Amino acid sequence: MSSGNPMNFDELYREVILDHCKRPRNFGPLPQATATAHGDNPSCGDEVHLGIVLSPEGVVEDIKFTGQACAISTASTSLMTTLVKGKKREEAEALLKDFENMICHIEETKPPASLGNLRALAGVRQFPQRVKCAMLGWRALEQTLDGNSSAPKTITTEEPSS
Ligand code: ZN
């Protein structure tokens, strides 16, 4: 970290997103999952299948995802898995709230440090269609943290059309 080379934060964050998009972390099937959720974002064509292993004490012992999604969706889900793995359910839920606040509330200016590299996605809040992409993996996480049921749940970030 030399002070003579001011690396642009936007640049740094774009690299984070590209990196996670090209090499998603915790990507693959998780046959021993205790809860799974299928996330669908039809407006973009994103699909995320998320599996977690939640210990009896409520700790996220393992988390993995598969699916086909755009760069924002893939990077968001990949970053999310690295952040919540090893965390307690309540901590994971708090991160979900932080993330949701960051990308759904435009007036918020400073993303919380708890989100780490996920702050790379703060700019998404200017683009409502992209918010759905970024939230997809998180909505799936919400379902898996919630559920005792082993039946896969399907969620969508698409608003119901009326
Ligand atoms: Zn997308």
Side-chain angles (χ1 to χ4, degrees):
M1 290 279 175
S2 91
S3 54
N5 179 18
M7 176 124 182
N8 184 328
F9 263 112
D10 283 349
E11 255 170 57
L12 188 68
Y13 282 163
R14 207 166 348 211
E15 271 181 31
V16 167
I17 293 174
L18 278 176
D19 178 42
H20 277 264
C21 172
K22 276 192 217 144
R23 298 183 303 119
R25 315 302 197 273
N26 301 307
F27 191 86
L30 188 59
Q32 72 273 33
T34 56
T36 57
H38 167 70
D40 201 13
N41 177 26
S43 65
C44 178
D46 304 319
E47 280 185 43
V48 169
H49 310 278
L50 188 76
I52 70 168
V53 176
L54 205 59
S55 78
E57 297 79 31
V59 173
V60 180
E61 286 185 336
D62 208 353
I63 178 163
K64 282 192 167 186
F65 74 105
T66 60
Q68 281 281 346
C70 68
I72 296 283
S73 188
T74 302
S76 179
T77 307
S78 172
L79 282 157
M80 179 273 286
T81 61
T82 64
L83 203 62
V84 303
K85 193 168 173 176
K87 295 272 199 311
K88 290 190 192 127
R89 180 196 273 126
E90 301 77 53
E91 292 173 312
E93 283 167 350
L95 289 167
L96 165 65
K97 275 255 152 18
D98 285 346
F99 186 73
E100 194 172 10
N101 280 334
M102 179 179 81
I103 66 163
C104 297
H105 299 288
I106 290 166
E107 68 275 15
E108 180 93 30
T109 48
K110 199 164 183 300
S114 60
L115 291 175
N117 280 340
L118 272 163
R119 288 174 292 178
L121 291 163
V124 166
R125 60 186 166 205
Q126 298 162 51
F127 310 99
Q129 288 298 322
R130 307 268 89 175
V131 167
K132 292 181 198 169
C133 300
M135 282 307 298
L136 188 62
W138 290 87
R139 290 281 171 240
L141 172 70
E142 194 174 30
Q143 291 301 312
T144 56
L145 289 174
D146 233 33
N148 295 318
S149 157
S150 54
K153 297 185 176 172
T154 301
I155 56 107
T156 177
T157 46
E158 191 68 63
E159 295 104 18
S161 52
S162 51

